[in-house]
């Protein structure tokens, strides 16, 4: 009982400290939401440790109620602070505490990423700055706060509620899409297909992409910490990850090599085949990244030497690639079809003989349906 009383007092003190911080403006409303999300994750873990659980509907209801309270606290705190009298010449306000709760942004060029806190958004590589370098998109991680569509009864909401996988609403200025079960990587692939070169992502701190961090948050993959100028991030852009899709390479060729005498674009998507005759391939090993990149670039340059070829894009996946997964994307833009097909065949043959035949991990023989 003594321990329980002590815990209640400790929790009360911590709650008072948190409430004081909210009133003083140490946290924005969105930062309060993030704190809720992190607290919920800890609570779920503790429940699992105790061998119990909570109904998902009850959990969502509790989170919604706490979220509403947090937003009311933030709004009330803002009103209270705004009513405070301005300090006299003899009085100086204490400097606002440096917020360490991270609202991070990740920026890709087809996946190149940077991270930044929301309260520094306007002094960081954001859409207007990135648009000077290429087509730009933004993805925001909403955690457990579900995105509200149009009011109930509107056509777009009704179509989604009735099971449509994708609902798109358009007006003369923009289009808004609701995509069912869209993971981060699915959305990055979709944006790459649309020719997007940079994507800013808020949140998703658990992802393995390289990051830029504002504050002292310890996290893996940090490329830059507290850069003094937005432009400093762009000078490191080559250090960040990339996301490739076949259609993204096609879009890149159209952007960089379209001309009046362009006649076609031919594309190839290589996949790890599991069964070849009596042979079963479970995985292919392409962990020698430097060799793969060097050879891929040499193959690409060789393809571009074929007369009539205007440009080539060549991407080969790296790591351990399981059977059934995409392995290679190749796109060729040319004046005529025979030139594009010739370039594709040359590149595919070199890739197979110089890379793929030595990358297989074989598991037994094929004796029936795989």
């Amino acid at each position: 009982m003594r321990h329980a009383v002590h815990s209640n007092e400790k929790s009360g003190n911590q709650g008072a400290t948190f409430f004081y911080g909210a009133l003083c403006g140490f946290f924005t409303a969105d930062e309060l939401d993030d704190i809720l999300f992190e607290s919920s994750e800890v609570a779920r873990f503790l429940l699992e440790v105790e061998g119990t659980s909570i109904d998902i509907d009850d959990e969502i209801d509790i989170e919604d109620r706490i979220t509403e309270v947090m937003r009311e606290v933030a709004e009330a705190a803002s009103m209270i602070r705004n009513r405070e009298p301005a300090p006299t010449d003899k009085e100086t306000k204490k400097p606002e505490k440096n917020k360490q709760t991270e609202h991070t942004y990740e920026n890709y060029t087809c996946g190149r990423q940077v991270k930044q806190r929301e309260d520094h958004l306007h002094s960081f590589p954001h859409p207007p700055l990135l648009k000077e370098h290429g087509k730009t998109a933004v993805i925001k991680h909403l955690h457990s706060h579900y995105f509200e569509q149009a009011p109930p009864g509107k056509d777009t909401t009704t179509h989604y509620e009735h099971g449509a996988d994708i609902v798109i609403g358009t007006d003369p200025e923009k289009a808004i899409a609701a995509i069912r079960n869209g993971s981060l990587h699915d959305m990055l692939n979709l944006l790459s297909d649309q020719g997007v070169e940079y994507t800013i992502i808020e949140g998703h701190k658990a992802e393995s992409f390289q990051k830029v961090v504002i504050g002292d948050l310890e996290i893996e993959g940090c490329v830059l910490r507290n850069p003094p100028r937005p432009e400093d991030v762009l000078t490191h852009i080559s250090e960040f990850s990339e996301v490739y899709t076949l259609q993204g390479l096609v879009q890149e060729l159209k952007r960089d090599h379209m001309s009046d005498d362009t006649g076609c674009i031919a594309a190839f998507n290589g996949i790890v085949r599991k069964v070849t005759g009596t042979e079963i391939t479970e995985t292919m090993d392409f962990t020698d990244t430097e060799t793969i990149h060097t050879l891929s670039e040499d193959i690409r340059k060789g393809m571009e030497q074929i007369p009539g070829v205007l440009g080539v894009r060549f991407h080969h996946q790296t790591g351990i690639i399981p059977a059934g997964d995409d392995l290679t994307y190749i796109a060729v833009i040319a004046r005529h079809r025979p030139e594009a097909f010739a370039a594709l065949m040359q590149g595919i043959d070199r890739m197979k003989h110089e890379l793929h035949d030595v990358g297989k991990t074989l598991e037994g023989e094929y004796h029936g349906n795989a």
Side-chain angles (χ1 to χ4, degrees):
M1 179 63 69
R2 187 179 307 163
H3 176 71
V5 171
H6 174 73
S7 297
N8 288 336
E9 291 176 353
K10 184 176 181 180
S11 298
N13 291 336
Q14 291 173 337
T17 301
F18 170 77
F19 186 73
Y20 171 76
L23 289 176
C24 292
F26 288 180
F27 311 113
T28 67
D30 283 338
E31 285 172 334
L32 292 174
D33 283 351
D34 261 9
I35 292 172
L36 168 63
F37 173 75
E38 300 295 342
S39 301
S40 299
E41 292 299 304
V42 173
R44 291 189 190 96
F45 171 75
L46 293 176
L47 287 172
E48 291 177 2
V49 170
E50 294 177 357
T52 185
S53 63
I54 184 172
D55 182 77
I56 184 63
D57 291 334
D58 291 338
E59 179 181 335
I60 292 174
D61 180 63
I62 292 169
E63 285 189 359
D64 288 343
R65 282 186 285 149
I66 295 176
T67 298
E68 184 62 28
V69 170
M70 285 186 166
R71 290 194 176 277
E72 290 176 358
V73 167
E75 292 170 3
S78 177
M79 293 175 61
I80 292 172
R81 291 197 308 274
N82 291 336
R83 289 202 301 265
E84 290 178 352
T88 65
D89 292 338
K90 296 181 180 180
E91 298 174 337
T92 57
K93 283 189 175 182
K94 294 182 179 180
E96 184 180 0
K97 177 183 176 182
N98 180 28
K99 307 182 188 71
Q100 300 302 334
T101 302
E102 298 296 326
H103 275 260
T104 54
Y105 285 84
E106 304 166 8
N107 155 321
Y108 300 71
T109 301
C110 289
R112 286 201 290 257
Q113 85 194 56
V114 211
K115 279 198 142 194
Q116 174 58 297
R117 247 181 35 192
E118 185 174 2
D119 51 347
H120 288 262
L121 175 60
H122 298 292
S123 61
F124 187 77
H126 51 296
L129 177 60
L130 291 171
K131 279 178 68 66
E132 298 175 8
H133 301 271
K135 193 173 182 180
T136 301
V138 177
I139 295 176
K140 175 180 172 61
H141 189 200
L142 298 178
H143 300 303
S144 59
H145 311 298
Y146 294 94
F147 178 76
E148 293 184 3
Q149 296 177 256
K154 294 294 185 180
D155 289 346
T156 51
T157 301
T158 301
H159 294 321
Y160 187 84
E161 290 175 345
H162 287 179
D165 292 308
I166 300 176
V167 177
I168 300 176
T170 64
D171 64 29
E173 295 182 352
K174 61 188 176 298
I176 297 179
I179 303 174
R180 195 177 301 277
N181 301 324
S183 69
L184 172 62
H185 292 274
D186 287 342
M187 295 305 98
L188 289 174
N189 289 339
L190 176 64
L191 293 175
S192 179
D193 286 347
Q194 294 300 311
V196 170
E197 298 172 77
Y198 297 86
T199 300
I200 302 171
I201 303 177
E202 179 188 352
H204 290 286
K205 292 188 274 289
E207 295 290 339
S208 60
F209 301 118
Q210 291 81 3
K211 306 167 183 70
V212 171
V213 179
I214 300 301
D216 60 1
L217 177 69
E218 293 300 326
I219 194 168
E220 293 184 1
C222 178
V223 173
L224 285 174
R225 184 180 296 278
N226 300 320
R229 302 179 309 145
E231 293 79 5
D232 295 335
V233 177
L234 297 181
T235 62
H236 291 264
I237 202 69
S238 63
E239 300 178 38
F240 298 103
S241 305
E242 294 186 313
V243 171
Y244 291 94
T245 62
L246 183 59
Q247 183 60 27
L249 298 186
V250 170
Q251 295 281 6
E252 192 174 324
L253 285 176
K254 288 183 176 181
R255 184 184 68 236
D256 296 342
H257 294 285
M258 279 293 290
S259 62
D260 291 340
D261 59 350
T262 297
C264 68
I265 294 179
F268 171 80
N269 182 178
I271 298 172
V272 178
R273 182 172 55 245
K274 184 170 185 177
V275 178
T276 305
T278 61
E279 185 180 273
I280 295 179
T281 301
E282 296 292 345
T283 62
M284 298 187 76
D285 185 350
F286 297 106
T287 51
D288 188 353
T289 304
E290 183 176 352
T291 297
I292 292 168
H293 287 336
T294 300
L295 182 55
S296 297
E297 180 65 10
D298 186 61
I299 293 174
R300 185 192 67 79
K301 289 180 178 178
M303 295 170 65
E304 287 187 335
Q305 297 304 308
I306 294 178
V309 171
L310 303 175
V312 175
R313 291 294 180 269
F314 188 113
H315 173 70
H316 197 291
Q317 306 280 37
T318 57
I320 304 296
I321 315 299
D325 277 15
D326 287 351
L327 184 59
T328 315
Y329 303 134
I330 308 175
V332 180
I333 187 168
R335 294 186 176 91
H336 305 96
R337 288 172 295 167
E339 300 149 357
F341 294 153
L344 273 180
M345 290 305 300
Q346 175 181 298
I348 293 169
D349 288 344
R350 283 196 61 189
M351 177 180 63
K352 175 174 174 54
H353 296 303
E354 298 178 42
L355 268 178
H356 293 183
D357 286 345
V358 298
K360 292 182 179 180
T361 300
L362 304 180
E363 298 290 343
E365 294 184 348
Y366 176 62
H367 296 291
N369 292 329

